[in-house]
Amino acid sequence: MRLGTSLLLGMATVPQAASEISVQCPDGVSRCIQVGLTAPLTGRFSGQGLSAKRGAVLWATTVNSDGGLNVAGAQKFVELIVYDDASSSSTAARLYEQLISVDGVDFLLGPYGTSFSTVAAAVAAEHGRVLFLGNAAGDSAYEPQPGAPAWPHIFGVVTTTSEYTSPTARLLHEVHDAQTAAVLSRSDNPFAADTVAGALVSFGRLDASGDATLDLVLHATFAGDSNDESLTTGMASVCATNADTLWFFGLQGDANALLLAMAALEGCRPKAVYISSGPTDAAWVAAANQLVDAHGRSNLADLYRVLSAAQWVEPAAGRGGPADDLFGDTAGFRYRMETFFSDVDTGDDIHHHAASAAAAGIALGEAISAASQVGGVVLDAGGLPSQEAVGLAARDLDLSTFYGEVRFDNRGRNIAKGAVTTQVQSGSIVPVAPAEHAVRSFCTWRQLFMSRAASCPIMTLTCGVVWCGAVRCDVVWCGAVIRTRCTEAWRHCVSTCVCG
């Protein structure tokens, strides 16, 4: 391997990281397939990074325990090298250069996040290396980067941001007659920009009658610092539109600030609230439901019935799902996670970052195996097909995995798996669309309120706390009948509201 200079960062001026072999080549095996990646194991994205690393480690470990990958009729084991990119895209660029030019790994898996994956893709393109991304949802990660050579062999298993909001927009428009949308987005982040672009496309898609799904009435932005006044100002602007639906695009750390800013605005009560990052994470929901603002409000995630898009959800009991030869179905993947990582308890949510990283490994392994069995293929000294051969084989993959279907378009994006719309209901993250994933019906914010008729058979909420101005009301369900313990001020406030 040549010791080249990355388009992004010169190696000669930057200290090299110590190699961390996360999965060892089995004893007695002279030559393994070396696979390298980075993950943010420290810094602001360390939680997501640890989850992604675990998914890659579980993939490599399971491959080895099952006898290795079939490469041209020989069984090849995997050695996995993982570096900590410290939540820094420049560090990720340097480390991918090191993985290629110093460590000499055979193949690459991607880091966590769109920004990190974009720089990793540029380094991979410079060196002509195939790259399989497990956690790059932004469409920009699959575009040629300025100054980087054209290279068609970058692939990602996740649903990209151009399709994130489609099922949610359709649900709100077709089932709940939403007509308008107001958007607030972070101005300094590629993931947020990609997600907004995809949302605007989904809003403009025509329904059966030829009308646009949702009419955009405002698109406001806020600065990168989520405590900046621009967030509060932007929130006030979108709430003032009285749009049927509010859409917020930013990073996970922005989500709590968004909820607090919204809660401080009296009368901001849309049919639905969508937040792009945060509400699919059980830890975020728990934290959001503990937030208390100046008015004493709590349970904010439940209060606003927050919607989001999930890359992957575990199927409901008895519903089954896609499967593969390595993990089986979702239950098999869960069993392996709980067995291998002692701090993953039965019943805990398996984070989608681990699942997608493992799925990226599956796709890489299948592509290597398929490339090695093409007639006339030339293998290198280590018995492996070339980077280009693996890339060409990846373009023909049509896989069923525990994570979902995998099939790549000409940009390397997975077009076989859609996003799942989730909603926070009674402290839980609940899939509500599309129909094949839904375990409960979508519940609008307005369905939290009752007229004096005191019955609402379509509701599924079991308990909660709702507010009218600064007045708190505890809500308790008895079958289909709501029992309220409220002040007269509350009763006056909801007397004109309807259920549904």
Side-chain angles (χ1 to χ4, degrees):
M1 299 291 176
R2 65 182 178 87
L3 184 59
T5 300
S6 169
L7 292 168
L8 301 171
L9 200 57
M11 288 285 294
T13 60
V14 181
Q16 295 174 12
S19 177
E20 179 189 336
I21 300 179
S22 295
V23 177
Q24 298 277 354
C25 192
D27 291 340
V29 178
S30 60
R31 176 69 164 87
C32 281
I33 302 173
Q34 277 199 325
V35 178
L37 71 149
T38 78
L41 305 179
T42 56
R44 67 180 299 188
F45 300 116
S46 58
Q48 296 95 321
L50 175 60
S51 181
K53 175 186 175 181
R54 283 180 165 185
V57 167
L58 187 63
W59 164 72
T61 302
T62 306
V63 165
N64 290 347
S65 66
D66 285 6
L69 297 174
N70 180 359
V71 182
Q75 296 304 112
K76 296 283 188 180
F77 294 93
V78 174
E79 182 173 88
L80 188 71
I81 299 176
V82 183
Y83 287 123
D84 176 15
D85 59 38
S87 300
S88 164
S89 57
S90 62
T91 301
R94 172 175 64 83
L95 291 174
Y96 273 93
E97 180 77 41
Q98 181 172 330
L99 283 165
I100 296 168
S101 299
V102 179
D103 298 317
V105 299
D106 298 304
F107 297 103
L108 299 171
L109 292 174
Y112 164 78
T114 297
S115 299
F116 304 94
S117 296
T118 299
V119 298
V123 176
E126 182 193 0
H127 290 275
R129 292 305 194 97
V130 67
L131 174 66
F132 282 77
L133 302 171
N135 284 284
D139 287 88
S140 59
Y142 304 89
E143 298 288 350
Q145 301 305 307
W151 179 244
H153 302 316
I154 309 296
F155 304 96
V157 298
V158 299
T159 303
T160 55
T161 49
S162 57
E163 296 298 324
Y164 254 37
T165 57
S166 293
T168 308
R170 285 195 300 268
L171 171 74
L172 295 176
H173 176 67
E174 296 173 3
V175 180
H176 297 281
D177 197 34
Q179 302 294 324
T180 55
V183 170
L184 179 61
S185 66
R186 183 171 174 140
S187 59
D188 67 340
N189 181 261
F191 172 77
D194 286 345
T195 313
V196 169
L200 298 184
V201 171
S202 68
F203 294 169
R205 288 179 178 146
L206 303 183
D207 62 17
S209 63
D211 296 327
T213 301
L214 292 171
D215 179 26
L216 180 69
V217 296
L218 178 70
H219 179 191
T221 62
F222 65 95
D225 181 357
S226 59
N227 294 316
D228 191 274
E229 289 183 2
S230 63
L231 188 149
T232 303
T233 302
M235 183 68 69
S237 297
V238 298
C239 286
T241 65
N242 291 317
D244 292 333
T245 60
L246 301 188
W247 303 73
F248 303 120
F249 301 99
L251 302 180
Q252 185 161 327
D254 301 322
N256 287 346
L258 289 165
L259 280 179
L260 285 171
M262 185 174 174
L265 296 169
E266 302 297 343
C268 189
R269 302 293 183 261
K271 283 186 176 180
V273 177
Y274 178 98
I275 298 179
S276 61
S277 294
T280 58
D281 185 339
W284 178 87
V285 172
N289 276 343
Q290 297 300 314
L291 289 176
V292 178
D293 70 359
H295 294 288
R297 290 182 178 87
S298 61
N299 299 318
L300 292 185
D302 267 307
L303 172 62
Y304 290 107
R305 285 289 173 270
V306 173
L307 292 162
S308 194
Q311 286 287 354
W312 174 76
V313 295
E314 298 183 61
R319 187 170 291 188
D324 55 69
D325 293 334
L326 190 65
F327 294 110
D329 58 10
T330 297
F333 179 73
R334 166 177 281 282
Y335 173 77
R336 298 266 191 169
M337 284 288 293
E338 292 172 349
T339 302
F340 195 78
F341 300 107
S342 60
D343 59 343
V344 177
D345 296 324
T346 302
D348 282 356
D349 289 331
I350 303 297
H351 205 282
H352 71 83
H353 297 312
S356 56
I362 292 174
L364 170 60
E366 291 289 340
I368 294 170
S369 181
S372 73
Q373 298 173 48
V374 174
V377 66
V378 177
L379 303 180
D380 66 15
L384 298 176
S386 69
Q387 299 288 317
E388 185 171 11
V390 173
L392 292 173
R395 295 202 168 275
D396 292 331
L397 290 179
D398 190 354
L399 301 177
S400 178
T401 76
F402 79 92
Y403 181 69
E405 307 302 314
V406 175
R407 189 171 65 254
F408 301 115
D409 68 4
N410 60 5
R411 290 170 57 188
R413 301 174 302 177
N414 186 5
I415 56 174
K417 182 186 79 68
V420 178
T421 299
T422 63
Q423 185 175 39
V424 179
Q425 294 186 12
S426 302
S428 298
I429 302 167
V430 180
V432 295
E436 61 268 26
H437 291 289
V439 298
R440 291 189 197 171
S441 299
F442 167 74
C443 177
T444 69
W445 188 91
R446 292 171 184 172
Q447 283 174 316
L448 287 173
F449 298 95
M450 293 296 303
S451 69
R452 288 173 177 168
S455 66
C456 181
I458 66 172
M459 285 293 296
T460 59
L461 181 67
T462 56
C463 63
V465 178
V466 289
W467 291 83
C468 177
V471 180
R472 175 185 174 117
C473 177
D474 296 308
V475 178
V476 181
W477 283 91
C478 299
V481 180
I482 189 169
R483 309 290 186 190
T484 60
R485 297 186 293 277
C486 314
T487 65
E488 285 302 313
W490 166 265
R491 295 184 184 282
H492 174 74
C493 182
V494 299
S495 63
T496 59
C497 295
V498 295
C499 177

